[in-house]
Every structure is written in structure tokens, then in C-alpha cells.
Amino acid sequence: MTVVIPVYNCRTTLRRALESVYEQSLGRSAGAGAIEIIAVDDGSTDGSGEELDRMAAARSELTVLHQPNSGGPGAPRNAGIDRASGEYVFFLDADDHLAPEALERMVAMADANGTDVVVGQYVGVGRQAPVFPRDLPRTTVAETPLLYNTLSPLKLFRRSLLERLGLRFVENLFSHEDMLFTAQAYFGADGISVVAGYDCYYWVDREDGTSTLQQGGAPAEQYFPAISEVMSHLAGRVEPGPLRDRLMLRHFRHEIASRFGPRYRELPEEEQALTRVGARRLVDAWYTPGVEHGLWPRSRLVMHCLRYRLDDVLAEIVATDPDGPPPTVVDKDKAFQVYPRFRDAATALPDHLYDITDRIGTENRLTEVSWTPSGLRVAGRAALSGVTERPETTLLLRRRGEPADERRLPVRALGGDRFRADIDLAAGDAPGDGAWDLHVEMRVQELTVVRRLGPDDDLQPPERRLVRGGRAVVPARRGPGLELRVTAAHPGTAMTLESADWAADGVLRVTGHVPSALPSGHPVEASAELLRRQDGTVVPAKVWASCVPEALNLTAEFDLRGCDPGRWTPWVSFTVDGVTVRVRPPAPPALPRPGPAGRLRQAAPYRTERGGLSVKITPARAALAARRFARRLRG
């Protein structure tokens, strides 16, 4: 493994970067000499070169090269490639650092799958970084277009790939010198792997804002020809169509539209003109309806103004805040962001440039989920982002899987964007068995938007409850949303024990309840029994049951006076709407003291390993003593 580090005025972060390589587990698992480090000082003026020399004197695996400043990271990286001897080459920037197992995991992925490029999961520090959802042992850009979102070289490359394709970085370019290199590697590689399950690379923005990209990147005369070469390479490898549009979209978002952010207004007039000319050439060459559809209105308007040379309109668009979208208006079944010149008769810009109907933002969250005597109450917020009109709101319950089903529930507006809705689980059309997701439907004029409802981060779903039909309803988080699981109540249905004590000698009384959403007075039948664990002997017991708000109350009396010695488990059964549920009372925190269980017997309640209540019946001490005395007499 060769780790190449270009260095230019990074003295304060050098040690952290290098130590993250020294501490790699690959160096321990593969033995001494498994990693060589080539740090190339590109004419630093802050003492970085001298610091590298001091560190190299103490570490044999560190080689330091010095060269005059080349004007960008490309030349020092190329010098590192020329000196590399490892089977793999990894490019690490001196501002960044690696997690301890990063190289070992990436090498293992490449070895196992024979791939030429391995992308490790990124972690942005003070900046955004691309995130991959799962490991990909072997893929391509065509199979995983998300790969094309990261064209930095901060990855693992098989050195034979670099030599086979003759890959080197563009030199004398202040920024974006790496994009063509990575694009060529992607399309020329024999497979690409992704290590997503481990955070490999910590990508750091400088706190003082002095990194290349933080300063705005290369000037337009250098920048746009370099971007054009990358886009031309892409066009030569991918036929026109949805995939090419998907990949080209990355360039129009990040390399073209980004040049018309706040910094554009601060540029000298000549640089602004060169920026427009360079960007217009790329728009004329590669901008398609498919790419346009993937952009948001601000970027669409920028491309339209470039294509049709509407420089005065472009100036107005650029003057808007890129981080604060303008108001949204709804017209019948369409939604539009109101950027400058919207429906201006003199300019006649087409409506579709402003259209966000299929991607309108929403602000919807659950702020309360609680039980009522008849069901669940949910409360939350629902609004269409940027729209001043209050939407008509409906709560939707949608069952996943087959058979599909939906319940539409009216909501009560509480002012502003707040709402409340009650889910009646005692009604005849209550949700049936299955997993039901909560959605909110928001309607303004003829525009209808449906989004899944998710709970606030600190909201905890309430406990399960018994409902009509002998069903159990369990509110639970599922991903970012909330679901209601409706199932048959089963022996695991939670019974809350309120007391367990002796009603009389040998009679154990257990009082508790099952949380429920059954209406008060709802008919319920109950039975109870003692079960001898050794042989299954059953002794019936007395039980009383009643439905009150939010609970099914149960009281049972277990008469132990006629029970033989052994271990006995109390059970309670209840029947709701023809469905019988059998539950085992849990043991209370403080168990009743052992007591008499009839003539010459003693009963001792105890807690089982699973927390259930059981009773052990044994002969009383006096009886045992008498028996021992009788045996001695017989002897």
C-alpha cells in the first residue's frame, strides 16, 4: 500500500494526517513494510516541508519529496504515483485523516472482489460529504450512478489500473484537477467496491477558510476547459439517455450552477463575463430536458438565461439568496417558486422553469401520540413549505403489503399548521390486522400532497393496548415514520400487576389490569386456574373482570389449600368479542411472605427466571418433624 499525500501549507494538520496512517491496522495485520507513505511538499512557505523532514527522520516508512510550487495538487500527486511501489495507491489530503481500520477494510474488499477502485465511507467535518447507504462488493457507475457524485481521488486505486490507463492528474490547475482522473478510473476500472459500513475517511474543511474550494476554485479560463474535458469524457463513455442525463446532472449542479452563487456577484466584471461564456459553452453542448428536469428552479433559470443570453435576468436570479428559497404559490394543481420574472409578460419565461409540483417541500411531524378511552390521539404539524395558504389536512392510515387498505380520518385544525386527529379503534371499521403507516394528506386548491408522518426525535410511542375483537395495537417507530401494528392478542399481552397478597390463609389474591382501548362496560368473560408444572394438574380459581376507561381490570383468587406439594403457576384467561387471551400474572417487586396452604402445608410465592409469578407448595415444618419422628420410631 502506497499512501500519497500532497502538501502545501498544511503544517498544523500534517501530524494528525500522518499519525492516522501510522496507526492503521493494516500495518499490524500485514506486517512491517505493508504501508509506504510518500508526502510531496509542493513549495510550502509555512514550514510544512521542514516539519515533514523532521517526521521522516523518525519513521522509515515516510518518504518526503520536495518540489517548487506547481499551482495545484495535481503535480505533487503525480510525483507520488511515479515513486509508488505498492499494489494499491491511496490519496490522502493533508487536511484530512483516516479511521484506524480504513485501509485494511478497503484492501480486503479489493482483494476479495478483484476490483480496481474502492470507495470508503466519508465523514464530513465542517462540510458535507457523500454518504453511501450500504456496502457494494462489486459494481459500476452504470449500476450505481451515486458513485459519480464523488469525483475526488480520496479513494483506493489498484496501481496496475493507473499504469494500464496511464492515469495522471491535470497539472497547474488550482482546483478540480482530480475530476478527469477519477472519471477515467471509474469508467476504465474492472469493478468498483464501496465500504459503507465503516467510516473510513474524515474530510475536513479548514476553519480559516483557506482551502482551494473554500476560496472559490480556479479562475474561469482554467476552470471551464477542465470541466468540459470531464463532461466530454463522460459523453464518450455513456450513450445519450437517462443514465447520461443522471450523470451530467452532477456537473450542472455542482460545477456550473455553483459558479453563480454569492461569489459571482463579487467577481470583477471581466471574470463574470468569462464565467458566463465558459458555462454557456457547456450548456449549449450537454444541457438536455432530462438534465433540466433534475434541477431546481434557481438552477433551471440560470441555465435558461445562459442559453438565451438573458444576462439582465441572470443578474436578478443570482442576486436571490441561494440558501433561502422564495415563496411558493399554488395555481390549480401546480406549485411554483416565485423567482424573479415569474409570469412577467415582457420576459415570457416558461412556467416549467419555476415548477416544483413533484418536489414541493413539506413540514410535517407528529408531536403527540397518546391513548384515549376509545383509541389513539395523534397531534402534529402539517404545511407546504413556502405556501401561505393553509392546506386542508386529512390523516391517512395505509396498510402495507396485501391486501392494501386505507382509512381516511378527518383532523381538527388547532391554528397555524397544527392539527389533531383521533383514531377510533373501537369502531366497526377500525384498522384490521397488519402494519399501518401514518400519512398526512395536504390539499391546496387542486394540488394534493401526501407525506408519511414521523414522530419528533424525543417522542416515545405509548405502550400496546387491547382493542375490540381481541386484537392488540402497538404504536412503534419504523424508520423515520410511525406505524400501528395490529395483531391478535397473545399470551405475551402485557398485564400490569397492581397487587398480589393473601386474601386468607391459603388463598392468593392477584389484582391487575391489561391496558385497553375498550369502551367502559364492554362485555368480557374471564376464567383462572392453577397449573401444576410437574404433571399439568389443573385447579380452577375464581376471577372477576370488568372494562373501565383505558383498562381491562382483572382480580383472581387462587385457593392453594387443596393443592398437592409442587410448583404451581397461576393463569388468567379473558374472552373479548369471542377471542380468548391467556395471560400469566407477573411477579410483584415485593413477593408475599410464605403462608399456610391448608393442613400441614406451606405456600411460598416466587419469581421465575422470566419474571412470572409462581407458587411452591411444600409440607409445613411441623409435619416434616412429625414424619421424621415417626420414621425413627419405626426404625
Side-chain angles (χ1 to χ4, degrees):
M1 162 65 64
T2 300
V3 177
V4 175
I5 307 177
V7 178
Y8 178 71
N9 290 353
C10 299
R11 186 173 57 83
T12 58
T13 60
L14 266 178
R15 185 167 297 278
R16 180 183 61 188
L18 285 164
E19 286 180 351
S20 77
V21 183
Y22 299 152
E23 294 168 1
Q24 287 297 300
S25 59
L26 178 66
R28 297 188 296 272
S29 64
I35 301 175
E36 68 171 0
I37 307 169
I38 301 176
V40 184
D41 172 34
D42 195 46
S44 296
T45 59
D46 70 339
S48 293
E50 293 79 1
E51 181 69 13
L52 284 173
D53 290 337
R54 282 193 292 272
M55 288 188 280
R59 305 291 303 218
S60 61
E61 64 266 50
L62 174 58
T63 298
V64 178
L65 307 180
H66 296 278
Q67 62 183 34
N69 183 258
S70 64
R77 288 201 188 108
N78 289 341
I81 295 173
D82 292 340
R83 287 287 297 269
S85 62
E87 181 181 357
Y88 298 103
V89 177
F90 189 92
F91 297 100
L92 171 66
D93 279 355
D95 294 328
D96 306 332
H97 54 280
L98 297 171
E101 299 176 20
L103 297 183
E104 182 176 15
R105 287 173 181 257
M106 287 190 276
V107 166
M109 183 70 87
D111 285 347
N113 299 285
T115 45
D116 284 341
V117 180
V118 181
V119 183
Q121 187 72 282
Y122 296 104
V123 179
V125 180
R127 59 166 297 158
Q128 288 187 333
V131 176
F132 294 90
R134 64 184 184 282
D135 284 359
L136 295 172
R138 188 177 182 88
T139 189
T140 65
V141 171
E143 295 169 352
T144 311
L146 179 63
L147 285 167
Y148 202 73
N149 284 357
T150 168
L151 290 180
S152 81
L154 311 175
K155 303 170 176 63
L156 183 79
F157 299 89
R158 197 178 291 270
R159 189 161 65 90
S160 61
L161 169 72
L162 308 186
E163 301 308 327
R164 174 166 56 85
L165 299 180
L167 292 184
R168 294 297 187 271
F169 291 89
V170 177
E171 298 190 3
N172 304 313
L173 187 61
F174 187 53
S175 70
H176 297 81
E177 80 299 330
D178 50 2
M179 296 180 66
L180 181 61
F181 176 95
T182 308
Q184 290 173 330
Y186 274 165
F187 287 112
D190 181 10
I192 304 167
S193 298
V194 176
V195 176
Y198 180 78
D199 292 339
C200 295
Y201 194 100
Y202 288 83
W203 205 343
V204 184
D205 249 3
R206 296 187 185 180
E207 293 182 2
D208 59 5
T210 59
S211 72
T212 301
L213 292 180
Q214 286 174 293
Q215 292 181 340
E221 279 190 306
Q222 294 180 328
Y223 176 84
F224 285 105
I227 303 304
S228 177
E229 194 170 357
V230 181
M231 296 173 78
S232 297
H233 182 77
L234 166 60
R237 300 302 299 262
V238 182
E239 292 294 323
L243 177 59
R244 183 197 280 188
D245 288 344
R246 165 69 177 81
L247 301 179
M248 283 289 186
L249 181 61
R250 175 250 148 78
H251 294 298
F252 282 96
R253 278 179 179 161
H254 300 294
E255 281 74 59
I256 301 176
S258 65
R259 300 291 284 202
F260 295 91
R263 282 198 180 92
Y264 175 84
R265 302 197 302 270
E266 302 170 3
L267 297 174
E269 187 174 332
E270 180 182 0
E271 182 67 12
Q272 288 185 0
L274 290 171
T275 298
R276 291 195 299 272
V277 169
R280 183 176 294 122
R281 288 172 179 161
L282 302 182
V283 171
D284 290 342
W286 311 117
Y287 194 58
T288 65
V291 173
E292 181 180 72
H293 181 74
L295 294 174
W296 282 84
R298 188 182 192 279
S299 297
R300 287 186 211 146
L301 287 162
V302 168
M303 305 309 159
H304 185 88
C305 292
L306 289 169
R307 170 169 281 177
Y308 295 100
R309 291 167 170 76
L310 303 174
D311 292 351
D312 57 336
V313 181
L314 177 63
E316 293 182 40
I317 301 299
V318 171
T320 62
D321 183 0
D323 298 320
T328 297
V329 298
V330 176
D331 183 8
K332 297 181 181 178
D333 62 345
K334 297 288 185 181
F336 305 95
Q337 283 187 336
V338 186
Y339 279 100
R341 307 292 182 100
F342 175 63
R343 291 187 173 171
D344 175 49
T347 313
L349 296 178
D351 273 3
H352 78 268
L353 297 176
Y354 302 84
D355 193 335
I356 59 165
T357 303
D358 61 347
R359 61 178 76 182
I360 187 169
T362 62
E363 300 167 13
N364 53 284
R365 299 295 293 170
L366 284 172
T367 57
E368 176 191 348
V369 182
S370 58
W371 287 105
T372 67
S374 61
L376 270 175
R377 171 165 291 172
V378 297
R381 298 179 179 274
L384 300 178
S385 300
V387 178
T388 56
E389 294 180 69
R390 291 296 100 196
E392 298 176 16
T393 305
T394 303
L395 187 70
L396 305 180
L397 288 177
R398 289 180 172 175
R399 178 162 55 192
R400 293 198 307 275
E402 297 294 336
D405 199 358
E406 182 179 270
R407 300 286 190 276
R408 298 177 62 85
L409 305 175
V411 305
R412 179 182 175 186
L414 301 179
D417 59 358
R418 297 182 300 121
F419 72 88
R420 187 176 71 201
D422 289 322
I423 304 172
D424 189 352
L425 298 170
D429 62 345
D433 287 0
W436 297 76
D437 292 321
L438 272 69
H439 296 73
V440 62
E441 177 186 277
M442 293 162 283
R443 183 179 178 87
V444 173
Q445 299 183 37
E446 299 171 27
L447 175 67
T448 301
V449 179
V450 177
R451 295 287 188 270
R452 190 174 175 196
L453 272 172
D456 281 340
D457 292 340
D458 58 352
L459 190 152
Q460 294 299 320
E463 79 286 354
R464 75 171 66 203
R465 287 208 176 180
L466 182 72
V467 299
R468 275 188 170 173
R471 322 311 287 168
V473 175
V474 186
R477 289 177 178 269
R478 181 177 182 268
L482 185 81
E483 71 171 8
L484 302 181
R485 291 197 292 267
V486 183
T487 62
H490 52 79
T493 298
M495 178 180 177
T496 300
L497 193 70
E498 294 167 1
S499 65
D501 213 336
W502 299 110
D505 286 351
V507 179
L508 182 64
R509 177 183 292 158
V510 173
T511 301
H513 70 272
V514 174
S516 84
L518 296 170
S520 294
H522 191 76
V524 58
E525 298 177 0
S527 62
E529 63 187 23
L530 282 164
L531 177 67
R532 192 168 186 257
R533 296 172 65 179
Q534 286 91 331
D535 56 11
T537 300
V538 174
V539 175
K542 296 178 181 179
V543 65
W544 298 267
S546 63
C547 286
V548 298
E550 303 189 19
L552 166 59
N553 285 338
L554 296 164
T555 299
E557 291 186 352
F558 300 94
D559 192 342
L560 305 167
R561 291 172 294 189
C563 297
D564 293 332
R567 297 178 185 270
W568 294 81
T569 300
W571 286 92
V572 177
S573 299
F574 56 86
T575 301
V576 174
D577 301 328
V579 176
T580 299
V581 181
R582 193 166 182 251
V583 298
R584 182 175 178 181
L591 290 165
R593 293 178 178 276
R599 183 169 167 270
L600 301 180
R601 289 193 181 90
Q602 186 178 56
Y606 69 96
R607 180 182 292 103
T608 66
E609 290 183 358
R610 296 186 178 182
L613 177 64
S614 281
V615 181
K616 181 179 180 180
I617 298 178
T618 58
R621 289 184 178 179
L624 289 172
R627 288 178 185 174
R628 286 196 294 267
F629 182 67
R631 282 199 298 269
R632 286 199 298 270
L633 287 177
R634 287 195 297 271

